Amino acid sequence: MLLIKNPAGANEAIRTLVAGGTPRVALVALNDAIADGRDVSWIWDVDFEPLAAGPETLVASGERAAELALRFKYGGLDPARIEIVPDLAEALDRGLALTPAAGRFVALPTYTAMLALRKIVAARGHVANYWASAA
């Protein structure tokens, strides 16, 4: 999971992904809560284009999933490879279902989407809550 909360951070996360080999499946989640910032126009300043050739499927999620999917379409990703799943838990499940057994699944959420995804994963018992000590 790589946090994207502004163009600079998103560009760095994308560069990191592309350098390591773009995953077959990626979940990108965009929320517009107060902590994220209500104005999501910054997604048009992100260089998403390097991801266009990578994932077989991009799952767009969050409160502004449709806008995110549109941005990826204009960034060169074939619309047939974009799935819009606004609900984060459903998007996580969809992304994991599409990921091959030994494959790599990547999530690029904005701040509140990251917190929500972390809570979902912790509730499922895959990670400890961040306030719990690792014994």
Side-chain angles (χ1 to χ4, degrees):
M1 188 178 316
L2 299 169
L3 174 66
I4 59 169
K5 62 180 188 173
N6 56 42
N11 286 338
E12 193 57 38
I14 291 164
R15 275 193 287 275
T16 300
L17 281 180
V18 171
T22 310
R24 290 177 53 188
V25 180
L27 164 66
V28 183
L30 177 65
N31 281 350
D32 64 353
I34 295 286
D36 300 303
R38 297 284 187 195
D39 179 7
V40 296
S41 64
W42 63 268
I43 64 172
W44 294 93
D45 296 326
V46 176
D47 187 16
F48 284 119
E49 286 70 10
L51 285 178
E56 292 175 10
T57 305
L58 181 122
V59 181
S61 188
E63 297 162 356
R64 303 295 288 269
E67 289 90 335
L68 189 58
L70 180 65
R71 173 62 185 96
F72 273 101
K73 176 185 172 190
Y74 277 98
L77 190 62
D78 179 356
R81 294 174 27 211
I82 302 170
E83 294 189 20
I84 301 172
V85 185
D87 181 85
L88 289 170
E90 291 176 20
L92 177 62
D93 290 340
R94 180 65 180 145
L96 290 171
L98 292 169
T99 303
R104 186 171 55 128
F105 174 68
V106 174
L108 300 167
T110 54
Y111 182 68
T112 61
M114 177 197 64
L115 294 176
L117 282 170
R118 182 75 169 74
K119 185 176 182 179
I120 293 165
V121 173
R124 293 178 179 181
H126 299 297
V127 296
N129 288 309
Y130 60 87
W131 62 83
S133 64

